[in-house]
Amino acid sequence: MEDVLIIGAGIFGLSVARKLRLAGRDVMVAEAAGVGAGASATPLGVLAPHAPDHWNAKKEAQFRALTSLPDYLAALEDETGQGVGYVRCGRLVPLTTENQRRAWERRLPDAVENWRGAASLELVERVDADWIAPDATPFGAVCCGLSARIDARRYLAAMAASVGDRLVTGMTLERLEDGVAVFTNGERIAAKLIVLATGAAAFAHLPEVEGEPAGRGEKGQAARLSVAIDVTDRPIIYHDGAYVVPREGGEVAVGATSERYYEDAAMTDMLLDEKITRARALCPALQGAQVVERWAAARPRAADRGLLVGPHPTLQGVAVATGGFKTGLAMAHMLDVEAFV
Ligand SMILES: Cc1cc2nc3c(=O)[nH]c(=O)nc-3n(C[C@H](O)[C@H](O)[C@H](O)COP(=O)(O)OP(=O)(O)OC[C@H]3O[C@@H](n4cnc5c(N)ncnc54)[C@H](O)[C@@H]3O)c2cc1C
């Protein structure tokens, strides 16, 4: 019998695996396709806070996650010798109306109070004309100094290196039976603790809650473009649902769609083209830039949009670690695995 069997090698499965392994548990990770086969391999890698006003427990938890992540990542990089491309690059939100500007002006003191000196929130009048089109910022922009980016795929690779050789691919969970995971290849693995970390696919294995699914997948599409200017020190741009994210190696990521109804989570289509067109209008550096990757996946969205984490109330010996919706990369290192065992 295994000690801990974690199913799914996305950021949630790997984060649980690393924590439990460092706590001395014997951990096996079983993954259907490969590390980063799911939503965690997003080209975007945005790590951004909620607005600092109307502070609540959810915003506090995310603030703690964002401010503790650099130390966590530095320890991971030291341990594995692999970089993860974390950069506190900031995020610019163009302001297109007087009302928007006033609303952000009112939030400035909230940032001072709630972010406690960890970062600033500022209004800026002028932005680099090759990075944000001047006509996109008629009322200036707001710059969030707490926002950062990460190379999600390098993060996953470092996490996998930390977990080590007990990560097995080609293992697709078919069903859970009392303390036993049954895989489509007929293999049955018993474990003292099974952690279901299969992202959007997890909900199919979980009982309904008050007649409703515990969550659902929500598809997102994103792209990588190759640009001619050096973007390493540029901030993320976010405008009206569209992200423009600088990356290493002369690339920019663009996205993402949010699709509740879809047939194929991995297929890209004209909805992504629309995002790319909007991004090009926002960011002059993207005019004529070549698209080098089109990517799509289903985000795990728990019924309450939060994380679905902890021992399952009715499935004996099973814990769940998924959810995160649009913020999984920022939150996964905060999982309290003590509660699992
Ligand atoms: C377009 C898009 C953009 C995003 N951008 C960001 C962002 O900028 N910042 C951010 O923080 N978050 C972002 N997210 C959300 C983030 O990716 C998720 O919150 C997070 O990745 C969820 O991680 P997970 O480990 O739960 O799921 P996943 O990463 O999906 O991992 C699940 C793993 O389980 C495996 N699996 C599935 N079924 C089985 C099975 N039956 N048996 C065995 N293994 C199985 C899959 O192959 C996969 O490897 C984005 C998501 C999308 C779709």
Side-chain angles (χ1 to χ4, degrees), residues 7-8 10-12 31-32 37-40 42 44-46 171-173 197-199 201 220-221 256 295 297 299-300 322-330:
I7 307 168
I11 197 59
F12 278 76
E31 156 65 37
S40 301
T42 167
L44 293 181
V46 174
M171 302 278 290
T172 303
L173 177 73
T198 50
Q221 303 183 41
W295 177 89
R299 308 169 176 96
T322 190
F325 191 36
K326 295 184 177 177
T327 61
L329 295 169

PDB file of all heavy atoms in Angstrom, residues 7-8 10-12 31-32 37-40 42 44-46 171-173 197-199 201 220-221 256 295 297 299-300 322-330, ligand 1:
ATOM      1  N   ILE A   7      -3.058  12.283  -7.501  1.00  0.00           N
ATOM      2  CA  ILE A   7      -3.434  12.053  -8.896  1.00  0.00           C
ATOM      3  C   ILE A   7      -3.553  13.409  -9.592  1.00  0.00           C
ATOM      4  O   ILE A   7      -4.394  14.234  -9.219  1.00  0.00           O
ATOM      5  CB  ILE A   7      -4.740  11.253  -8.992  1.00  0.00           C
ATOM      6  CG1 ILE A   7      -4.611   9.974  -8.156  1.00  0.00           C
ATOM      7  CG2 ILE A   7      -5.045  10.904 -10.446  1.00  0.00           C
ATOM      8  CD1 ILE A   7      -5.895   9.246  -7.942  1.00  0.00           C
ATOM      9  N   GLY A   8      -2.661  13.638 -10.578  1.00  0.00           N
ATOM     10  CA  GLY A   8      -2.636  14.909 -11.308  1.00  0.00           C
ATOM     11  C   GLY A   8      -1.359  15.676 -11.003  1.00  0.00           C
ATOM     12  O   GLY A   8      -1.046  15.931  -9.845  1.00  0.00           O
ATOM     13  N   GLY A  10      -0.521  18.885 -12.067  1.00  0.00           N
ATOM     14  CA  GLY A  10      -0.610  20.325 -12.296  1.00  0.00           C
ATOM     15  C   GLY A  10       0.001  21.014 -11.087  1.00  0.00           C
ATOM     16  O   GLY A  10       0.615  20.373 -10.224  1.00  0.00           O
ATOM     17  N   ILE A  11      -0.185  22.326 -10.985  1.00  0.00           N
ATOM     18  CA  ILE A  11       0.470  23.057  -9.894  1.00  0.00           C
ATOM     19  C   ILE A  11      -0.082  22.636  -8.523  1.00  0.00           C
ATOM     20  O   ILE A  11       0.652  22.620  -7.531  1.00  0.00           O
ATOM     21  CB  ILE A  11       0.405  24.590 -10.114  1.00  0.00           C
ATOM     22  CG1 ILE A  11       1.434  25.289  -9.234  1.00  0.00           C
ATOM     23  CG2 ILE A  11      -0.981  25.155  -9.869  1.00  0.00           C
ATOM     24  CD1 ILE A  11       2.862  24.895  -9.449  1.00  0.00           C
ATOM     25  N   PHE A  12      -1.364  22.230  -8.468  1.00  0.00           N
ATOM     26  CA  PHE A  12      -1.910  21.818  -7.177  1.00  0.00           C
ATOM     27  C   PHE A  12      -1.356  20.465  -6.736  1.00  0.00           C
ATOM     28  O   PHE A  12      -0.913  20.313  -5.605  1.00  0.00           O
ATOM     29  CB  PHE A  12      -3.445  21.824  -7.204  1.00  0.00           C
ATOM     30  CG  PHE A  12      -4.002  23.199  -6.971  1.00  0.00           C
ATOM     31  CD1 PHE A  12      -3.971  24.145  -7.979  1.00  0.00           C
ATOM     32  CD2 PHE A  12      -4.508  23.568  -5.745  1.00  0.00           C
ATOM     33  CE1 PHE A  12      -4.428  25.429  -7.762  1.00  0.00           C
ATOM     34  CE2 PHE A  12      -4.983  24.855  -5.514  1.00  0.00           C
ATOM     35  CZ  PHE A  12      -4.945  25.789  -6.537  1.00  0.00           C
ATOM     36  N   GLU A  31       0.021  10.714 -13.080  1.00  0.00           N
ATOM     37  CA  GLU A  31      -0.464  11.751 -14.018  1.00  0.00           C
ATOM     38  C   GLU A  31      -0.848  11.087 -15.344  1.00  0.00           C
ATOM     39  O   GLU A  31      -0.125  10.227 -15.845  1.00  0.00           O
ATOM     40  CB  GLU A  31       0.644  12.798 -14.204  1.00  0.00           C
ATOM     41  CG  GLU A  31       0.603  13.612 -15.482  1.00  0.00           C
ATOM     42  CD  GLU A  31      -0.617  14.529 -15.622  1.00  0.00           C
ATOM     43  OE1 GLU A  31      -1.063  15.098 -14.615  1.00  0.00           O
ATOM     44  OE2 GLU A  31      -1.123  14.654 -16.764  1.00  0.00           O
ATOM     45  N   ALA A  32      -1.973  11.541 -15.918  1.00  0.00           N
ATOM     46  CA  ALA A  32      -2.454  10.929 -17.161  1.00  0.00           C
ATOM     47  C   ALA A  32      -1.523  11.208 -18.342  1.00  0.00           C
ATOM     48  O   ALA A  32      -1.111  10.292 -19.053  1.00  0.00           O
ATOM     49  CB  ALA A  32      -3.854  11.453 -17.473  1.00  0.00           C
ATOM     50  N   ALA A  37       0.219  19.235 -18.401  1.00  0.00           N
ATOM     51  CA  ALA A  37      -0.732  18.905 -19.470  1.00  0.00           C
ATOM     52  C   ALA A  37      -2.049  19.659 -19.297  1.00  0.00           C
ATOM     53  O   ALA A  37      -2.864  19.695 -20.214  1.00  0.00           O
ATOM     54  CB  ALA A  37      -0.994  17.411 -19.489  1.00  0.00           C
ATOM     55  N   GLY A  38      -2.272  20.262 -18.152  1.00  0.00           N
ATOM     56  CA  GLY A  38      -3.543  20.930 -17.882  1.00  0.00           C
ATOM     57  C   GLY A  38      -3.428  22.447 -17.856  1.00  0.00           C
ATOM     58  O   GLY A  38      -2.531  23.034 -18.482  1.00  0.00           O
ATOM     59  N   ALA A  39      -4.332  23.069 -17.101  1.00  0.00           N
ATOM     60  CA  ALA A  39      -4.456  24.529 -17.085  1.00  0.00           C
ATOM     61  C   ALA A  39      -3.227  25.231 -16.529  1.00  0.00           C
ATOM     62  O   ALA A  39      -2.964  26.393 -16.853  1.00  0.00           O
ATOM     63  CB  ALA A  39      -5.685  24.922 -16.267  1.00  0.00           C
ATOM     64  N   SER A  40      -2.455  24.529 -15.692  1.00  0.00           N
ATOM     65  CA  SER A  40      -1.318  25.193 -15.029  1.00  0.00           C
ATOM     66  C   SER A  40      -0.250  25.663 -16.009  1.00  0.00           C
ATOM     67  O   SER A  40       0.555  26.525 -15.672  1.00  0.00           O
ATOM     68  CB  SER A  40      -0.673  24.249 -14.019  1.00  0.00           C
ATOM     69  OG  SER A  40      -1.604  23.850 -13.044  1.00  0.00           O
ATOM     70  N   THR A  42      -0.374  27.553 -18.424  1.00  0.00           N
ATOM     71  CA  THR A  42      -0.781  28.779 -19.121  1.00  0.00           C
ATOM     72  C   THR A  42       0.411  29.625 -19.565  1.00  0.00           C
ATOM     73  O   THR A  42       1.342  29.825 -18.788  1.00  0.00           O
ATOM     74  CB  THR A  42      -1.700  29.629 -18.206  1.00  0.00           C
ATOM     75  OG1 THR A  42      -1.835  30.943 -18.791  1.00  0.00           O
ATOM     76  CG2 THR A  42      -1.133  29.814 -16.814  1.00  0.00           C
ATOM     77  N   LEU A  44       0.305  32.711 -19.778  1.00  0.00           N
ATOM     78  CA  LEU A  44       0.190  34.034 -19.154  1.00  0.00           C
ATOM     79  C   LEU A  44       1.030  34.145 -17.876  1.00  0.00           C
ATOM     80  O   LEU A  44       1.886  35.001 -17.773  1.00  0.00           O
ATOM     81  CB  LEU A  44      -1.278  34.348 -18.829  1.00  0.00           C
ATOM     82  CG  LEU A  44      -2.209  34.535 -20.033  1.00  0.00           C
ATOM     83  CD1 LEU A  44      -3.616  34.867 -19.552  1.00  0.00           C
ATOM     84  CD2 LEU A  44      -1.720  35.647 -20.949  1.00  0.00           C
ATOM     85  N   GLY A  45       0.741  33.335 -16.894  1.00  0.00           N
ATOM     86  CA  GLY A  45       1.532  33.380 -15.652  1.00  0.00           C
ATOM     87  C   GLY A  45       1.401  34.683 -14.881  1.00  0.00           C
ATOM     88  O   GLY A  45       2.353  35.181 -14.297  1.00  0.00           O
ATOM     89  N   VAL A  46       0.195  35.242 -14.869  1.00  0.00           N
ATOM     90  CA  VAL A  46      -0.029  36.501 -14.142  1.00  0.00           C
ATOM     91  C   VAL A  46      -0.248  36.211 -12.661  1.00  0.00           C
ATOM     92  O   VAL A  46      -0.994  35.292 -12.301  1.00  0.00           O
ATOM     93  CB  VAL A  46      -1.278  37.230 -14.702  1.00  0.00           C
ATOM     94  CG1 VAL A  46      -1.615  38.456 -13.860  1.00  0.00           C
ATOM     95  CG2 VAL A  46      -1.055  37.616 -16.155  1.00  0.00           C
ATOM     96  N   MET A 171      -0.809   7.426 -16.436  1.00  0.00           N
ATOM     97  CA  MET A 171      -1.740   6.809 -15.471  1.00  0.00           C
ATOM     98  C   MET A 171      -3.009   7.663 -15.418  1.00  0.00           C
ATOM     99  O   MET A 171      -3.008   8.747 -14.831  1.00  0.00           O
ATOM    100  CB  MET A 171      -1.120   6.777 -14.067  1.00  0.00           C
ATOM    101  CG  MET A 171       0.193   6.027 -13.977  1.00  0.00           C
ATOM    102  SD  MET A 171      -0.068   4.260 -13.844  1.00  0.00           S
ATOM    103  CE  MET A 171      -0.751   4.097 -12.221  1.00  0.00           C
ATOM    104  N   THR A 172      -4.071   7.182 -16.022  1.00  0.00           N
ATOM    105  CA  THR A 172      -5.331   7.947 -16.047  1.00  0.00           C
ATOM    106  C   THR A 172      -6.321   7.354 -15.053  1.00  0.00           C
ATOM    107  O   THR A 172      -6.708   6.177 -15.180  1.00  0.00           O
ATOM    108  CB  THR A 172      -5.938   7.924 -17.469  1.00  0.00           C
ATOM    109  OG1 THR A 172      -4.974   8.452 -18.377  1.00  0.00           O
ATOM    110  CG2 THR A 172      -7.210   8.753 -17.537  1.00  0.00           C
ATOM    111  N   LEU A 173      -6.725   8.142 -14.095  1.00  0.00           N
ATOM    112  CA  LEU A 173      -7.695   7.675 -13.101  1.00  0.00           C
ATOM    113  C   LEU A 173      -9.035   7.384 -13.764  1.00  0.00           C
ATOM    114  O   LEU A 173      -9.567   8.226 -14.498  1.00  0.00           O
ATOM    115  CB  LEU A 173      -7.892   8.743 -12.010  1.00  0.00           C
ATOM    116  CG  LEU A 173      -8.930   8.393 -10.946  1.00  0.00           C
ATOM    117  CD1 LEU A 173      -8.388   7.309 -10.006  1.00  0.00           C
ATOM    118  CD2 LEU A 173      -9.340   9.629 -10.154  1.00  0.00           C
ATOM    119  N   ALA A 197      -6.108  15.648  -7.568  1.00  0.00           N
ATOM    120  CA  ALA A 197      -5.613  16.962  -8.029  1.00  0.00           C
ATOM    121  C   ALA A 197      -5.652  16.992  -9.553  1.00  0.00           C
ATOM    122  O   ALA A 197      -4.688  17.395 -10.201  1.00  0.00           O
ATOM    123  CB  ALA A 197      -4.208  17.197  -7.492  1.00  0.00           C
ATOM    124  N   THR A 198      -6.766  16.555 -10.107  1.00  0.00           N
ATOM    125  CA  THR A 198      -6.874  16.440 -11.569  1.00  0.00           C
ATOM    126  C   THR A 198      -7.520  17.673 -12.208  1.00  0.00           C
ATOM    127  O   THR A 198      -8.060  17.602 -13.310  1.00  0.00           O
ATOM    128  CB  THR A 198      -7.655  15.167 -11.948  1.00  0.00           C
ATOM    129  OG1 THR A 198      -8.878  15.128 -11.192  1.00  0.00           O
ATOM    130  CG2 THR A 198      -6.866  13.921 -11.646  1.00  0.00           C
ATOM    131  N   GLY A 199      -7.462  18.812 -11.539  1.00  0.00           N
ATOM    132  CA  GLY A 199      -7.952  20.060 -12.128  1.00  0.00           C
ATOM    133  C   GLY A 199      -9.427  19.986 -12.476  1.00  0.00           C
ATOM    134  O   GLY A 199     -10.243  19.458 -11.708  1.00  0.00           O
ATOM    135  N   ALA A 201     -10.944  18.111 -14.345  1.00  0.00           N
ATOM    136  CA  ALA A 201     -11.455  16.733 -14.444  1.00  0.00           C
ATOM    137  C   ALA A 201     -11.853  16.177 -13.069  1.00  0.00           C
ATOM    138  O   ALA A 201     -12.539  15.150 -12.997  1.00  0.00           O
ATOM    139  CB  ALA A 201     -10.396  15.838 -15.077  1.00  0.00           C
ATOM    140  N   GLY A 220     -10.335  28.368 -21.233  1.00  0.00           N
ATOM    141  CA  GLY A 220      -9.632  29.626 -21.518  1.00  0.00           C
ATOM    142  C   GLY A 220      -8.652  29.411 -22.653  1.00  0.00           C
ATOM    143  O   GLY A 220      -8.063  28.342 -22.783  1.00  0.00           O
ATOM    144  N   GLN A 221      -8.502  30.424 -23.502  1.00  0.00           N
ATOM    145  CA  GLN A 221      -7.544  30.361 -24.605  1.00  0.00           C
ATOM    146  C   GLN A 221      -6.534  31.495 -24.469  1.00  0.00           C
ATOM    147  O   GLN A 221      -6.895  32.605 -24.043  1.00  0.00           O
ATOM    148  CB  GLN A 221      -8.265  30.517 -25.943  1.00  0.00           C
ATOM    149  CG  GLN A 221      -9.354  29.492 -26.193  1.00  0.00           C
ATOM    150  CD  GLN A 221      -9.980  29.664 -27.574  1.00  0.00           C
ATOM    151  OE1 GLN A 221      -9.298  29.912 -28.565  1.00  0.00           O
ATOM    152  NE2 GLN A 221     -11.295  29.514 -27.646  1.00  0.00           N
ATOM    153  N   ALA A 256      -7.072  36.226 -21.748  1.00  0.00           N
ATOM    154  CA  ALA A 256      -7.505  34.882 -22.035  1.00  0.00           C
ATOM    155  C   ALA A 256      -9.027  34.896 -22.154  1.00  0.00           C
ATOM    156  O   ALA A 256      -9.695  35.754 -21.571  1.00  0.00           O
ATOM    157  CB  ALA A 256      -7.102  33.944 -20.901  1.00  0.00           C
ATOM    158  N   TRP A 295      -3.013  28.225 -27.495  1.00  0.00           N
ATOM    159  CA  TRP A 295      -3.119  27.256 -26.404  1.00  0.00           C
ATOM    160  C   TRP A 295      -4.493  27.391 -25.736  1.00  0.00           C
ATOM    161  O   TRP A 295      -5.046  28.493 -25.651  1.00  0.00           O
ATOM    162  CB  TRP A 295      -2.001  27.557 -25.389  1.00  0.00           C
ATOM    163  CG  TRP A 295      -1.966  26.717 -24.166  1.00  0.00           C
ATOM    164  CD1 TRP A 295      -1.304  25.534 -24.026  1.00  0.00           C
ATOM    165  CD2 TRP A 295      -2.580  26.986 -22.902  1.00  0.00           C
ATOM    166  NE1 TRP A 295      -1.467  25.058 -22.739  1.00  0.00           N
ATOM    167  CE2 TRP A 295      -2.247  25.923 -22.040  1.00  0.00           C
ATOM    168  CE3 TRP A 295      -3.381  28.016 -22.398  1.00  0.00           C
ATOM    169  CZ2 TRP A 295      -2.682  25.852 -20.724  1.00  0.00           C
ATOM    170  CZ3 TRP A 295      -3.817  27.957 -21.091  1.00  0.00           C
ATOM    171  CH2 TRP A 295      -3.470  26.885 -20.279  1.00  0.00           C
ATOM    172  N   ALA A 297      -7.100  25.441 -22.456  1.00  0.00           N
ATOM    173  CA  ALA A 297      -7.285  24.412 -21.418  1.00  0.00           C
ATOM    174  C   ALA A 297      -8.511  24.788 -20.590  1.00  0.00           C
ATOM    175  O   ALA A 297      -9.027  25.900 -20.694  1.00  0.00           O
ATOM    176  CB  ALA A 297      -6.045  24.341 -20.517  1.00  0.00           C
ATOM    177  N   ARG A 299     -10.010  25.582 -16.981  1.00  0.00           N
ATOM    178  CA  ARG A 299      -9.666  25.957 -15.612  1.00  0.00           C
ATOM    179  C   ARG A 299     -10.615  25.235 -14.658  1.00  0.00           C
ATOM    180  O   ARG A 299     -11.822  25.182 -14.912  1.00  0.00           O
ATOM    181  CB  ARG A 299      -9.891  27.442 -15.349  1.00  0.00           C
ATOM    182  CG  ARG A 299      -9.273  28.396 -16.310  1.00  0.00           C
ATOM    183  CD  ARG A 299      -9.835  29.777 -16.024  1.00  0.00           C
ATOM    184  NE  ARG A 299      -9.231  30.806 -16.840  1.00  0.00           N
ATOM    185  CZ  ARG A 299      -9.750  31.262 -17.966  1.00  0.00           C
ATOM    186  NH1 ARG A 299     -10.898  30.793 -18.414  1.00  0.00           N
ATOM    187  NH2 ARG A 299      -9.135  32.209 -18.644  1.00  0.00           N
ATOM    188  N   PRO A 300     -10.117  24.744 -13.518  1.00  0.00           N
ATOM    189  CA  PRO A 300     -11.040  24.196 -12.530  1.00  0.00           C
ATOM    190  C   PRO A 300     -11.712  25.339 -11.769  1.00  0.00           C
ATOM    191  O   PRO A 300     -11.047  26.168 -11.166  1.00  0.00           O
ATOM    192  CB  PRO A 300     -10.119  23.388 -11.603  1.00  0.00           C
ATOM    193  CG  PRO A 300      -8.753  23.932 -11.816  1.00  0.00           C
ATOM    194  CD  PRO A 300      -8.715  24.631 -13.138  1.00  0.00           C
ATOM    195  N   THR A 322      -7.656  21.269  -5.741  1.00  0.00           N
ATOM    196  CA  THR A 322      -7.854  21.834  -7.075  1.00  0.00           C
ATOM    197  C   THR A 322      -8.613  23.148  -6.923  1.00  0.00           C
ATOM    198  O   THR A 322      -8.844  23.606  -5.825  1.00  0.00           O
ATOM    199  CB  THR A 322      -8.603  20.822  -7.979  1.00  0.00           C
ATOM    200  OG1 THR A 322      -8.580  21.286  -9.315  1.00  0.00           O
ATOM    201  CG2 THR A 322     -10.029  20.615  -7.547  1.00  0.00           C
ATOM    202  N   GLY A 323      -8.976  23.707  -8.033  1.00  0.00           N
ATOM    203  CA  GLY A 323      -9.698  24.980  -7.964  1.00  0.00           C
ATOM    204  C   GLY A 323      -8.772  26.095  -8.385  1.00  0.00           C
ATOM    205  O   GLY A 323      -8.011  25.942  -9.322  1.00  0.00           O
ATOM    206  N   GLY A 324      -8.859  27.206  -7.692  1.00  0.00           N
ATOM    207  CA  GLY A 324      -7.938  28.288  -8.048  1.00  0.00           C
ATOM    208  C   GLY A 324      -8.425  29.124  -9.211  1.00  0.00           C
ATOM    209  O   GLY A 324      -8.035  30.266  -9.360  1.00  0.00           O
ATOM    210  N   PHE A 325      -9.277  28.566 -10.044  1.00  0.00           N
ATOM    211  CA  PHE A 325      -9.884  29.264 -11.168  1.00  0.00           C
ATOM    212  C   PHE A 325      -8.833  30.069 -11.931  1.00  0.00           C
ATOM    213  O   PHE A 325      -8.050  29.491 -12.655  1.00  0.00           O
ATOM    214  CB  PHE A 325     -11.053  30.111 -10.670  1.00  0.00           C
ATOM    215  CG  PHE A 325     -11.913  30.668 -11.760  1.00  0.00           C
ATOM    216  CD1 PHE A 325     -12.158  29.932 -12.906  1.00  0.00           C
ATOM    217  CD2 PHE A 325     -12.479  31.920 -11.651  1.00  0.00           C
ATOM    218  CE1 PHE A 325     -12.947  30.443 -13.936  1.00  0.00           C
ATOM    219  CE2 PHE A 325     -13.275  32.439 -12.667  1.00  0.00           C
ATOM    220  CZ  PHE A 325     -13.498  31.701 -13.806  1.00  0.00           C
ATOM    221  N   LYS A 326      -8.775  31.384 -11.728  1.00  0.00           N
ATOM    222  CA  LYS A 326      -7.810  32.163 -12.505  1.00  0.00           C
ATOM    223  C   LYS A 326      -6.560  32.520 -11.705  1.00  0.00           C
ATOM    224  O   LYS A 326      -5.717  33.296 -12.162  1.00  0.00           O
ATOM    225  CB  LYS A 326      -8.478  33.432 -13.025  1.00  0.00           C
ATOM    226  CG  LYS A 326      -9.598  33.138 -14.011  1.00  0.00           C
ATOM    227  CD  LYS A 326     -10.210  34.392 -14.597  1.00  0.00           C
ATOM    228  CE  LYS A 326     -11.268  34.032 -15.616  1.00  0.00           C
ATOM    229  NZ  LYS A 326     -11.966  35.170 -16.195  1.00  0.00           N
ATOM    230  N   THR A 327      -6.444  32.004 -10.486  1.00  0.00           N
ATOM    231  CA  THR A 327      -5.342  32.447  -9.620  1.00  0.00           C
ATOM    232  C   THR A 327      -4.539  31.281  -9.047  1.00  0.00           C
ATOM    233  O   THR A 327      -3.815  31.455  -8.071  1.00  0.00           O
ATOM    234  CB  THR A 327      -5.898  33.280  -8.441  1.00  0.00           C
ATOM    235  OG1 THR A 327      -6.791  32.449  -7.688  1.00  0.00           O
ATOM    236  CG2 THR A 327      -6.633  34.510  -8.899  1.00  0.00           C
ATOM    237  N   GLY A 328      -4.659  30.104  -9.645  1.00  0.00           N
ATOM    238  CA  GLY A 328      -4.035  28.909  -9.072  1.00  0.00           C
ATOM    239  C   GLY A 328      -2.531  29.019  -8.884  1.00  0.00           C
ATOM    240  O   GLY A 328      -1.980  28.520  -7.906  1.00  0.00           O
ATOM    241  N   LEU A 329      -1.841  29.699  -9.812  1.00  0.00           N
ATOM    242  CA  LEU A 329      -0.377  29.766  -9.718  1.00  0.00           C
ATOM    243  C   LEU A 329       0.062  30.604  -8.523  1.00  0.00           C
ATOM    244  O   LEU A 329       1.125  30.366  -7.954  1.00  0.00           O
ATOM    245  CB  LEU A 329       0.200  30.377 -10.997  1.00  0.00           C
ATOM    246  CG  LEU A 329      -0.007  29.548 -12.270  1.00  0.00           C
ATOM    247  CD1 LEU A 329       0.356  30.360 -13.498  1.00  0.00           C
ATOM    248  CD2 LEU A 329       0.810  28.260 -12.212  1.00  0.00           C
ATOM    249  N   ALA A 330      -0.769  31.577  -8.153  1.00  0.00           N
ATOM    250  CA  ALA A 330      -0.422  32.421  -7.005  1.00  0.00           C
ATOM    251  C   ALA A 330      -0.745  31.739  -5.683  1.00  0.00           C
ATOM    252  O   ALA A 330      -0.127  32.034  -4.664  1.00  0.00           O
ATOM    253  CB  ALA A 330      -1.189  33.746  -7.099  1.00  0.00           C
TER     254      ALA A 330
HETATM  255  C1  LIG B   1      -6.250  30.368 -20.409  1.00  0.00           C
HETATM  256  C2  LIG B   1      -5.874  30.260 -18.941  1.00  0.00           C
HETATM  257  C3  LIG B   1      -5.087  31.241 -18.391  1.00  0.00           C
HETATM  258  C4  LIG B   1      -4.742  31.184 -17.037  1.00  0.00           C
HETATM  259  N1  LIG B   1      -3.935  32.147 -16.542  1.00  0.00           N
HETATM  260  C5  LIG B   1      -3.575  32.117 -15.246  1.00  0.00           C
HETATM  261  C6  LIG B   1      -2.699  33.103 -14.737  1.00  0.00           C
HETATM  262  O1  LIG B   1      -2.232  33.972 -15.476  1.00  0.00           O
HETATM  263  N2  LIG B   1      -2.386  33.051 -13.406  1.00  0.00           N
HETATM  264  C7  LIG B   1      -2.884  32.071 -12.581  1.00  0.00           C
HETATM  265  O2  LIG B   1      -2.574  32.079 -11.391  1.00  0.00           O
HETATM  266  N3  LIG B   1      -3.713  31.130 -13.053  1.00  0.00           N
HETATM  267  C8  LIG B   1      -4.067  31.119 -14.360  1.00  0.00           C
HETATM  268  N4  LIG B   1      -4.913  30.164 -14.844  1.00  0.00           N
HETATM  269  C9  LIG B   1      -5.570  29.252 -13.903  1.00  0.00           C
HETATM  270  C10 LIG B   1      -4.649  28.218 -13.397  1.00  0.00           C
HETATM  271  O3  LIG B   1      -4.027  27.657 -14.507  1.00  0.00           O
HETATM  272  C11 LIG B   1      -5.416  27.177 -12.570  1.00  0.00           C
HETATM  273  O4  LIG B   1      -5.985  27.792 -11.453  1.00  0.00           O
HETATM  274  C12 LIG B   1      -4.470  26.086 -12.077  1.00  0.00           C
HETATM  275  O5  LIG B   1      -3.571  25.737 -13.073  1.00  0.00           O
HETATM  276  C13 LIG B   1      -5.191  24.843 -11.672  1.00  0.00           C
HETATM  277  O6  LIG B   1      -4.218  23.868 -11.358  1.00  0.00           O
HETATM  278  P1  LIG B   1      -4.598  22.361 -11.122  1.00  0.00           P
HETATM  279  O7  LIG B   1      -3.342  21.689 -10.700  1.00  0.00           O
HETATM  280  O8  LIG B   1      -5.779  22.274 -10.219  1.00  0.00           O
HETATM  281  O9  LIG B   1      -5.107  21.826 -12.547  1.00  0.00           O
HETATM  282  P2  LIG B   1      -4.323  21.424 -13.866  1.00  0.00           P
HETATM  283  O10 LIG B   1      -3.157  22.275 -14.118  1.00  0.00           O
HETATM  284  O11 LIG B   1      -5.344  21.339 -14.936  1.00  0.00           O
HETATM  285  O12 LIG B   1      -3.730  19.983 -13.545  1.00  0.00           O
HETATM  286  C14 LIG B   1      -4.489  18.801 -13.540  1.00  0.00           C
HETATM  287  C15 LIG B   1      -3.596  17.651 -13.975  1.00  0.00           C
HETATM  288  O13 LIG B   1      -4.344  16.446 -13.801  1.00  0.00           O
HETATM  289  C16 LIG B   1      -4.165  15.630 -14.943  1.00  0.00           C
HETATM  290  N5  LIG B   1      -5.348  14.774 -15.073  1.00  0.00           N
HETATM  291  C17 LIG B   1      -6.602  15.138 -15.485  1.00  0.00           C
HETATM  292  N6  LIG B   1      -7.423  14.065 -15.437  1.00  0.00           N
HETATM  293  C18 LIG B   1      -6.689  13.016 -14.975  1.00  0.00           C
HETATM  294  C19 LIG B   1      -6.979  11.667 -14.685  1.00  0.00           C
HETATM  295  N7  LIG B   1      -8.221  11.155 -14.876  1.00  0.00           N
HETATM  296  N8  LIG B   1      -5.996  10.862 -14.209  1.00  0.00           N
HETATM  297  C20 LIG B   1      -4.744  11.353 -14.001  1.00  0.00           C
HETATM  298  N9  LIG B   1      -4.411  12.647 -14.250  1.00  0.00           N
HETATM  299  C21 LIG B   1      -5.377  13.457 -14.733  1.00  0.00           C
HETATM  300  C22 LIG B   1      -4.016  16.595 -16.104  1.00  0.00           C
HETATM  301  O14 LIG B   1      -3.324  15.979 -17.190  1.00  0.00           O
HETATM  302  C23 LIG B   1      -3.217  17.714 -15.451  1.00  0.00           C
HETATM  303  O15 LIG B   1      -1.823  17.527 -15.587  1.00  0.00           O
HETATM  304  C24 LIG B   1      -5.225  30.142 -16.211  1.00  0.00           C
HETATM  305  C25 LIG B   1      -5.996  29.130 -16.775  1.00  0.00           C
HETATM  306  C26 LIG B   1      -6.310  29.173 -18.144  1.00  0.00           C
HETATM  307  C27 LIG B   1      -7.120  28.060 -18.737  1.00  0.00           C
END
